[in-house]
């Protein structure tokens, strides 16, 4: 049987160049089968869950699940010195607690593959927080792409960012990077002496200054 690391790398290789929206559900299903969360039902969350990662993403996950009425039994965290302390008012527990209670474990760190390997080796089903959110909100994500984004490039950027988070492969961002975030659109790169620039919502004028310098001051006003 292939190791979890190899299987994750195979998923990355298989999906990094897919540009169709059907691949998202397919990818989520394959990841779910890999982590064992495909066997979960809503009833599994009735007795509470564990969050793996007592950090900023863990705090967001804590708030989200609490608002959903799902009890957080505690956190798991490998950081030395954290076990036995508390985060967001709940205890940071040893992995033995997870083995004993066999409750759903949601990985609440950005690079989910590292704890996924440890949990898989311990035989504990789990799911990354980004996967859970994408799976629960897939119809809404598709609606954004279909109804709110007006061009193919924007939809591709959106899909690529979603895949990067599911795969924890942030090198995917390079393929959709446009350069300077303020001057990326083609219309902003033209040099036209009759253009009028409006900077709406200026902070200290740094982006405006950069635009002026990049265009050598060539516009009407």
């Amino acid at each position: 049987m292939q190791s979890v690391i190899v299987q994750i790398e195979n998923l990355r290789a298989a999906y990094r160049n897919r540009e169709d929206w059907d691949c998202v559900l397919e990818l989520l299903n394959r990841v779910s089968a890999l982590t064992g969360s495909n066997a979960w039902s809503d009833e599994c969350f009735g007795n509470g869950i564990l969050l793996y990662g007592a950090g900023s993403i863990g705090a967001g996950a804590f708030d989200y699940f609490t608002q959903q009425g799902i009890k957080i039994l505690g956190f798991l965290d490998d950081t030395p010195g954290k076990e036995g302390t508390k985060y967001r008012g709940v205890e940071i527990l040893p992995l033995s607690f997870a083995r004993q209670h066999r409750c759903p474990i949601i990985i609440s760190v950005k690079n989910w593959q590292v704890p996924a390997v440890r949990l898989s080796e311990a035989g504990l089903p789990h799911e990354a927080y980004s996967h859970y959110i994408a799976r629960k909100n897939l119809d809404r994500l598709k609606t954004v792409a279909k109804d709110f984004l007006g061009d193919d490039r924007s939809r591709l950027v959106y899909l690529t960012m979603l895949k990067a988070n599911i795969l924890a492969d942030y090198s995917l961002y390079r393929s959709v990077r446009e350069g300077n975030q303020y001057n990326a659109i083609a219309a902003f790169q033209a040099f036209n002496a009759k253009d009028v620039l409006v900077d709406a919502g200026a902070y200290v004028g740094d982006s405006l200054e950069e635009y002026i310098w990049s265009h050598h001051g060539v516009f009407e006003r």
Side-chain angles (χ1 to χ4, degrees):
M1 181 178 178
Q2 290 181 321
S3 70
V4 174
I5 295 176
V6 171
Q7 292 182 72
I8 292 172
E9 288 304 321
N10 288 342
L11 285 176
R12 287 175 172 174
Y15 287 91
R16 69 177 295 117
N17 294 321
R18 290 277 297 271
E19 296 182 356
D20 57 293
W21 272 90
D22 290 338
C23 80
V24 178
L25 179 58
E26 184 181 316
L27 174 57
L28 288 170
N29 286 338
R30 290 188 63 180
V31 173
S32 183
L34 173 62
T35 63
S37 60
N38 59 336
W40 290 348
S41 63
D42 291 339
E43 287 74 25
C44 294
F45 287 72
N47 294 323
I49 66 172
L50 289 169
L51 296 177
Y52 196 122
S56 58
I57 296 176
F62 180 93
D63 291 340
Y64 174 83
F65 286 112
T66 299
Q67 290 168 6
Q68 300 298 311
I70 297 173
K71 183 179 180 180
I72 309 300
L73 300 175
F75 283 92
L76 303 173
D77 200 296
D78 295 331
T79 307
K82 278 194 172 183
E83 187 178 305
T85 63
K86 288 189 175 183
Y87 186 67
R88 298 305 295 268
V90 298
E91 191 173 355
I92 300 178
L93 301 163
L95 195 60
S96 58
F97 181 94
R99 291 193 183 99
Q100 180 180 353
H101 288 77
R102 309 297 297 186
C103 58
I105 301 173
I106 302 296
I107 299 175
S108 52
V109 298
K110 188 173 183 178
N111 293 315
W112 59 268
Q113 69 275 16
V114 176
V117 170
R118 186 183 183 201
L119 293 171
S120 295
E121 290 173 347
L124 296 170
H126 52 279
E127 183 172 37
Y129 182 49
S130 58
H131 302 166
Y132 181 91
I133 293 297
R135 184 167 52 82
K136 287 290 187 179
N137 296 278
L138 190 56
D139 288 342
R140 296 174 67 189
L141 294 170
K142 287 183 177 180
T143 297
V144 170
K146 179 182 177 182
D147 298 338
F148 295 171
L149 301 179
D151 61 278
D152 290 339
R153 178 63 179 175
S154 294
R155 284 186 284 271
L156 176 60
V157 172
Y158 187 58
L159 173 62
T160 301
M161 293 176 68
L162 183 58
K163 287 196 306 177
N165 279 279
I166 294 172
L167 293 167
D169 183 1
Y170 303 102
S171 67
L172 290 174
Y173 289 157
R174 298 193 194 105
S175 66
V176 294
R177 183 176 174 82
E178 301 287 0
N180 185 288
Q181 62 179 320
Y182 297 111
N183 304 330
I185 300 173
F188 283 90
Q189 298 171 2
F191 289 78
N192 189 331
K194 295 299 182 181
D195 284 344
V196 175
L197 172 65
V198 178
D199 188 356
Y203 171 49
V204 294
D206 53 337
S207 55
L208 174 60
E209 182 180 43
E210 183 176 328
Y211 187 84
I212 292 172
W213 279 106
S214 67
H215 288 67
H216 308 287
V218 180
F219 42 79
E220 181 70 18
R221 57 192 173 92

